[in-house]
Each structure stands twice: as structure tokens, then as C-alpha cells.
Amino acid sequence: MSNENPVLLLVDDEPTNLRVLRTVLQDQYRLLFAKSGEEALQLIAQEQPDLVLLDVMMPGLTGFDVCTRLKADATTKAIPVIFVTALKDEIDEARGFAVGAVDYITKPISPAVVKARVKTHLSLVQAAELKQTRLQVIQRLGRAAEYKDNETGLHILRMSHYAQVLALASGFTAQHAEDLLHAAPMHDIGKIGIADHILLKPGKLTAEEYQEMQKHPLIGAEIIGDCESVLLKMAKTVALYHHEKWDGTGYPHGLAGEAIPVEARIVALCDVFDALTSTRPYKKAWTVPDTLDYIRQQKGLHFEPRLVDLLEQQLPQILEIKERWAE
């Protein structure tokens, strides 16, 4: 059996039941065995299995007890637990889900059902791990962009949370708004491709330098590339279009109005709000009233009017975020 195969822990106080499960699963998985709840917890701490098949009715610690302890421990709470039991009472089943189990298999077991349920829940774990990995890649790329710029990680954190607040206020689903929270830090990733003497210049850029700076949305889109991931697609959208303006005078494509993706419109407003209210090497922080006055002046020009209204409506929550992650 390859060390790359998923590891399953089979827990049952009846050796016969363990032998049956071993026969069903041994060809596809690495198997560990425990005959009590106490032994199961020791093995889990040592081996960190990928999934646990757990009997409910055992002497000493029951399956419910074991599952409760696993879900209370940060190092083991993500391990899926499937109860394998002769219990059929709905109350017992509900209790199992309440303590954190992901599924039930009833005895006597069906080999096909056991294989299918194990495969399904391992696949769900792998999908969650893949999503987490993609998120970490996006966060690390966002950090890379910060090293090239004079903006701070706290700016990225604040404006991303502002974007989530505005997205929810705009009618996004919770998942869509959360995706924007995680995609927003990538908005300036293209600055990696801008020469330091332009990016870090303390004074005003020349016309030629400003033209070079305007390439960073295109560079950002190129860095992120074409991906199947919903999160990376959104990150590319934000990177490419966050400098477009509602009246069509932005760059790189001169899009106007609703031709600009709404995610980019939200990020543009949140980015400017936080940049103006933050101290930079080349400027002092503006007051919130002064910043709002400027944003109102840009209503219908730089920014979508509806989003400006929503920003003002959500201002208490925005200011709470600003205070939470102050410089």
C-alpha cells in the first residue's frame, strides 16, 4: 500500500466488525484500527488520519464522546467522522450530526455503500484543501505586491473588508462577498512589473512614467492568467478593471458604467477611501469628512453613484473596520 493513499482509522470494540471493514477497504486505503474510544484518540493524536469510521456504542468513551473531543480540538476538528452503527433511532442520528459527524452507515454494512461514502467525504476534504491552497496563493501574491509598493498590509486588509461590506450591501450572496474579500488583495499585483524608479518615485510622474504606471492592470491580469477557479477569475477581473471610471475616463480600456464589472467598481471605491484616509510617505491622512466630500464630488464621474450611497449608509461598519486595523 502506497504511503500516498489516504489513511482511515476504523474504531469498533467488536473485532469481527473491524475485520469486515478491513476486507472492504484494505485495497484502497491505509488502515489503522482501535478497539476503544480511548485508543482511538491516542491513534488520532499520533497519526492524524484522513477519515474516521467510528462505532457509536462502545464501553468507556462512546463514539459520540470521541467525536465531540475531536471537534473541540483545533488540530483534529477537520477530520471527517462517519458513524458506523446499528442504531436507527432518529434522535441518535440527530445527536451524531450535532456533535460533528458528516455521515452515518448502518450495520450490517453494505460494501458498496461504505466505499461510496468514504470516497465522497475524502473528495470533499480534498476540495476544501484545494480551495484553501488557492486562497493562500492569492494572499501570498498580494503580499508580494506590497513589497513593491509603499502601501501597507493593513491597507490591503482594510480595503478588502470594506469591499466585502459594500458587496453584501449591494446584494451579493455571502459566498460571493467572501470571494471578493479574498480576491481584492490582488488588485495591484501588476505593480510587480513596474520599474522601481517609477513605482517608488516620491514626486510627480512624467507623462511617460504615468503611461508606464497605467500598464499595471494589464500586467496583473497577465500574472493571474486564465484559471478555472472562481476566486482567481474574480482576482483577475479586479486587477484588470479597478482603475476604470464610471464616466469612461479610466484605464486601461476606458470602460464606462455597468460595462465595468461590479467587483472592480466596489474595489475602486474602497481602495480610494482607504488610501485617502491613510498616512503615506508623500501625504498626511485625510479626515473622513474630507474624504467623503471628495468621493461625493466624484459620484457619477469616478465612482458609481449607487455605491457611493451605499458607502455612506455602511459608514459605521466601515469605520469600525478602519479602527480595528488602524496603522
Side-chain angles (χ1 to χ4, degrees):
M1 182 65 63
S2 167
N3 285 336
E4 295 182 359
N5 286 60
V7 178
L8 308 185
L9 172 60
L10 313 182
V11 187
D12 200 304
D13 62 315
E14 290 291 338
T16 301
N17 293 332
L18 293 177
R19 284 195 292 269
V20 171
L21 287 171
R22 181 181 64 186
T23 301
V24 172
L25 297 168
Q26 63 185 349
D27 291 339
Q28 294 176 276
Y29 305 104
R30 294 168 54 211
L31 302 180
L32 304 172
F33 303 92
K35 295 180 182 178
S36 69
E38 293 83 355
E39 186 182 355
L41 290 172
Q42 291 173 3
L43 272 173
I44 291 167
Q46 295 167 8
E47 303 290 343
Q48 287 286 304
D50 297 292
L51 184 145
V52 178
L53 288 164
L54 182 59
D55 185 26
V56 173
M57 300 306 295
M58 296 183 292
L61 292 178
T62 69
F64 295 140
D65 297 329
V66 172
C67 190
T68 299
R69 293 196 188 185
L70 292 182
K71 299 306 171 181
D73 187 333
T75 62
T76 59
K77 67 180 182 180
I79 299 174
V81 174
I82 299 176
F83 282 130
V84 184
T85 177
L87 293 177
K88 296 181 180 179
D89 192 313
E90 280 189 17
I91 295 176
D92 291 310
E93 188 170 303
R95 182 181 174 189
F97 288 125
V99 298
V102 296
D103 212 340
Y104 261 89
I105 297 173
T106 56
K107 301 175 184 176
I109 66 164
S110 160
V113 168
V114 171
K115 289 180 179 180
R117 300 282 176 82
V118 168
K119 182 179 179 180
T120 294
H121 290 292
L122 287 175
S123 295
L124 291 173
V125 169
Q126 291 167 352
E129 289 175 348
L130 179 58
K131 182 178 180 181
Q132 182 64 22
T133 299
R134 286 171 175 163
L135 176 55
Q136 289 172 347
V137 169
I138 288 174
Q139 291 170 336
R140 293 303 168 190
L141 283 172
R143 287 285 291 159
E146 291 166 30
Y147 279 102
K148 283 280 287 182
D149 204 350
N150 53 28
E151 294 178 345
T152 69
L154 288 174
H155 162 70
I156 299 296
L157 192 62
R158 288 190 300 266
M159 61 82 59
S160 299
H161 279 84
Y162 299 161
Q164 184 184 32
V165 169
L166 278 196
L168 289 170
S170 296
F172 283 33
T173 65
Q175 183 60 60
H176 194 174
E178 184 177 346
D179 286 343
L180 184 58
L181 166 72
H182 296 308
M186 292 286 282
H187 71 290
D188 270 342
I189 187 65
K191 287 184 177 179
I192 288 175
I194 302 299
D196 286 351
H197 75 274
I198 297 175
L199 188 63
L200 304 178
K201 185 176 179 179
K204 186 176 180 180
L205 299 180
T206 67
E208 292 77 14
E209 289 169 340
Y210 186 61
Q211 192 172 16
E212 283 299 308
M213 180 67 86
Q214 287 181 316
K215 294 179 181 178
H216 81 267
L218 295 168
I219 295 170
E222 178 66 25
I223 288 172
I224 298 170
D226 296 320
C227 305
E228 292 301 317
S229 162
V230 170
L231 195 52
L232 285 171
K233 284 181 179 178
M234 188 183 295
K236 180 179 179 179
T237 294
V238 167
L240 183 56
Y241 299 115
H242 72 284
H243 278 293
E244 302 289 356
K245 295 184 179 181
W246 185 253
D247 66 0
T249 62
Y251 63 89
H253 298 302
L255 300 183
E258 294 188 358
I260 307 167
V262 64
E263 295 88 354
R265 286 180 252 153
I266 290 172
V267 167
L269 177 56
C270 295
D271 190 31
V272 169
F273 177 86
D274 194 71
L276 291 178
T277 56
S278 300
T279 301
R280 292 287 179 267
Y282 52 85
K283 75 169 189 69
K284 294 181 179 179
W286 289 22
T287 66
V288 171
D290 285 346
T291 300
L292 290 176
D293 283 344
Y294 172 79
I295 287 174
R296 291 186 195 108
Q297 293 168 19
Q298 292 296 312
K299 186 176 180 179
L301 301 175
H302 190 160
F303 307 118
E304 177 184 358
R306 180 182 66 95
L307 292 179
V308 172
D309 293 340
L310 289 177
L311 178 70
E312 296 205 55
Q313 291 170 18
Q314 301 300 319
L315 193 60
Q317 196 171 351
I318 297 291
L319 295 181
E320 181 183 329
I321 292 167
K322 180 175 173 57
E323 179 66 25
R324 189 186 315 159
W325 286 296
E327 300 288 350

